Amino acid sequence: MSACNNVGNRCILEAVRDALSLPARGMARLWIEAPRPRRIVRWPAAPWLAVATVCFGAFMGQLDASIVTLAFPSLATDFHTSLAAVEWVSLAYLLTLIALLAAAGRIADAVGRKQVYLYGFVVFTAASAACGFAPSLGALVGFRVLQAVGAAMLQSNSVALVTTSVPRERIRAALGVQAAAQALGLALGPTLGGIIVSNLGWRWIFGINLPVGVLATVAGYFLLPRTRTRSSARVDGPGVLLLAATTTPALIGVSAVSGLGLPPAAVLGLFAVAAAAGIGFWRWERRAAAPLIDPAAIANPLVRRGLLGALGGYLVLFGPLVLVPIVLSSHGVSELRAGLLLTALPAGFGLAAGFGNSVLPLRWADSTRCVAGVLLSTVALAGLIILPITGPALVPLLALTGIGLGIFTPANNAMIMANIPERSAGIGGGLVNLSRGLGTALGVAFTTLALDQAGSAGSHVALGILAVAALLTAAVSSRR
């Protein structure tokens, strides 16, 4: 009888243990990357389906970046606050994104890039819905932080998913397609934002993310390949905190200098904190067991120069996106017309990024394409300095600037990713987007600073800064 009882007790204990392990097994399955259907895997166009899926995120991220600024006046009116307070809707998003990009890339390299990318879409889409229903400015800023978490999961993986999905000889062309999708998002942002805010209200600028997010999540589940090689699963917590402590005060300090309105002592304090944290981050990463930024990933000088090039390229790209609408508005040009004229820049970028690889000589190395592209943009910026921005030369010169950057960006990205080990592709993509984010912030800040401090000559000073940045980017690219 006791033997039967013992058997029964063991059965009960095993049943209880199995029942308790079900949630754990369910949680584990959440991080198991689903394979693509065999029909998709066997299709010759399968790599390009993966690239097309990544383009959803590239498009949505840049659309969101360029469309939100059009809503600033409406936000200030609805929430009865100043434009300086409304600026945190963008600033909070940008600071969170930059702080998390490298960490998200590290996690994706460890647990699977496809899965992190898909969950990034879920977080981004849900946060977009929450932004649309935000009852206050504080709630909107909080939801934008959550949206930036999803964006970091997307952007840190986008370049890595492209480069690990297509054959090595097609990487440059695939990155060009992705850059073209980003340019399309930038191009549609000003015009679409003006139409939506004018006719439907600012809440709907977040609503347009919902159908794109749902479609992209479903497409990614079936079309994105699983991660083939993975790195250590350890995440460098102190490194994440030190990187955030470096970039956040630095970007707030730059924004303060360009008109955010902080006392000079506070601005100096921000830069001092950023410098101290930056030194601490560098020292910590050199001795950390699982560093946030793998030294092997940036040991190659080509990678370091490429990251500097990515920063410079996006600084030059986003400077005119801030400068031109402000100058045109001061001359009585409507927001909608200014947005249409400004579309020439990202449209040129998209055309060159998408088709430049098939037009330029095949024998040109990536470094040659980088130098040629950024020098073309420098010539166009010089033309904008000489000729009046309100004149008929504006559209062709903006288009020429975009074409040069559209030639530069895919070649620069291909150079970076070709020199990063596949196991670190996620962190490599995160570093690329980190450099882009810093370049974007500096382009906006330097342009705003020039307009704020240089008076009537502000536009020429801003364009001069952008031209110098373009020349420095060309110099960095030529040393390869």
Side-chain angles (χ1 to χ4, degrees):
M1 185 73 176
S2 60
C4 292
N5 288 337
N6 289 336
V7 172
N9 289 337
R10 283 199 301 272
C11 292
I12 293 172
L13 288 173
E14 289 175 1
V16 171
R17 187 173 63 248
D18 290 344
L20 293 175
S21 67
L22 283 175
R25 290 202 298 269
M27 291 296 294
R29 288 195 187 97
L30 293 177
W31 291 105
I32 297 175
E33 295 183 326
R36 293 175 292 177
R38 291 183 180 179
R39 186 180 304 172
I40 297 295
V41 175
R42 293 171 181 169
W43 197 18
W48 295 104
L49 291 176
V51 173
T53 303
V54 174
C55 285
F56 279 115
F59 170 82
M60 198 160 71
Q62 295 303 318
L63 179 71
D64 196 73
S66 59
I67 202 174
V68 169
T69 56
L70 270 295
F72 279 6
S74 296
L75 288 170
T77 301
D78 281 9
F79 292 129
H80 307 289
T81 188
S82 65
L83 285 174
V86 170
E87 185 180 358
W88 281 95
V89 173
S90 285
L91 192 58
Y93 178 91
L94 184 62
L95 293 175
T96 305
L97 179 65
I98 291 175
L100 294 181
L101 275 169
R106 165 69 72 182
I107 294 171
D109 282 338
V111 305
R113 299 177 196 111
K114 173 179 180 176
Q115 210 71 344
V116 171
Y117 193 79
L118 292 179
Y119 282 130
F121 260 122
V122 172
V123 173
F124 187 90
T125 305
S128 296
C131 287
F133 290 101
S136 66
L137 182 62
L140 178 58
V141 171
F143 292 140
R144 284 283 284 172
V145 169
L146 182 61
Q147 194 182 35
V149 173
M153 297 168 72
L154 289 171
Q155 292 189 22
S156 65
N157 282 287
S158 58
V159 175
L161 282 168
V162 169
T163 56
T164 56
S165 296
V166 300
R168 181 167 291 273
E169 65 272 11
R170 303 307 304 274
I171 286 178
R172 188 196 299 139
L175 290 172
V177 172
Q178 187 214 10
Q182 291 178 321
L184 181 61
L186 284 175
L188 290 178
T191 304
L192 192 59
I195 294 172
I196 291 175
V197 173
S198 313
N199 295 283
L200 299 174
W202 65 265
R203 295 184 184 275
W204 285 95
I205 65 174
F206 298 105
I208 64 173
N209 291 334
L210 304 186
V212 179
V214 172
L215 178 61
T217 303
V218 174
Y221 183 86
F222 290 103
L223 301 180
L224 289 177
R226 290 184 291 181
T227 305
R228 293 189 294 269
T229 59
R230 305 192 182 195
S231 62
S232 168
R234 298 177 63 181
V235 177
D236 180 15
V240 174
L241 294 176
L242 285 169
L243 180 60
T246 302
T247 57
T248 300
L251 291 178
I252 293 177
V254 170
S255 298
V257 171
S258 60
L260 193 59
L262 293 179
V267 176
L268 291 175
L270 287 169
F271 286 129
V273 170
I279 294 171
F281 175 73
W282 178 253
R283 290 181 175 177
W284 171 260
E285 292 299 288
R286 295 178 65 181
R287 60 186 178 86
L292 178 64
I293 298 177
D294 186 358
I298 59 173
N300 192 322
L302 296 177
V303 174
R304 294 196 295 270
R305 292 176 194 145
L307 293 174
L308 284 174
L311 186 151
Y314 268 68
L315 189 158
V316 175
L317 175 63
F318 272 82
L321 292 175
V322 175
L323 173 67
V324 172
I326 293 175
V327 174
L328 292 179
S329 177
S330 68
H331 286 79
V333 179
S334 68
E335 291 180 354
L336 182 57
R337 179 171 171 77
L340 290 171
L341 294 173
L342 189 60
T343 300
L345 175 61
F349 182 96
L351 287 173
F355 301 102
N357 189 61
S358 58
V359 173
L360 295 173
L362 294 176
R363 65 178 183 277
W364 278 18
D366 287 325
S367 58
T368 304
R369 293 166 185 259
C370 287
V371 174
V374 78
L375 286 179
L376 185 61
S377 296
T378 306
V379 171
L381 290 169
L384 287 172
I385 295 174
I386 298 170
L387 301 173
I389 289 182
T390 54
L394 174 63
V395 169
L397 288 175
L398 284 177
L400 197 63
T401 303
I403 289 171
L405 294 172
I407 294 171
F408 166 82
T409 300
N412 186 67
N413 291 349
M415 176 69 75
I416 295 170
M417 298 306 293
N419 289 280
I420 288 180
E422 184 175 329
R423 70 178 184 278
S424 300
I427 187 62
L431 289 173
V432 170
N433 283 290
L434 175 61
S435 298
R436 289 176 177 176
L438 291 171
T440 299
L442 292 175
V444 173
F446 286 151
T447 302
T448 308
L449 177 62
L451 291 173
D452 185 60
Q453 299 294 325
S456 59
S459 61
H460 290 86
V461 173
L463 288 168
I465 292 173
L466 297 176
V468 170
L471 284 174
L472 291 175
T473 303
V476 168
S477 301
S478 66
R479 298 181 58 194
R480 298 185 180 186

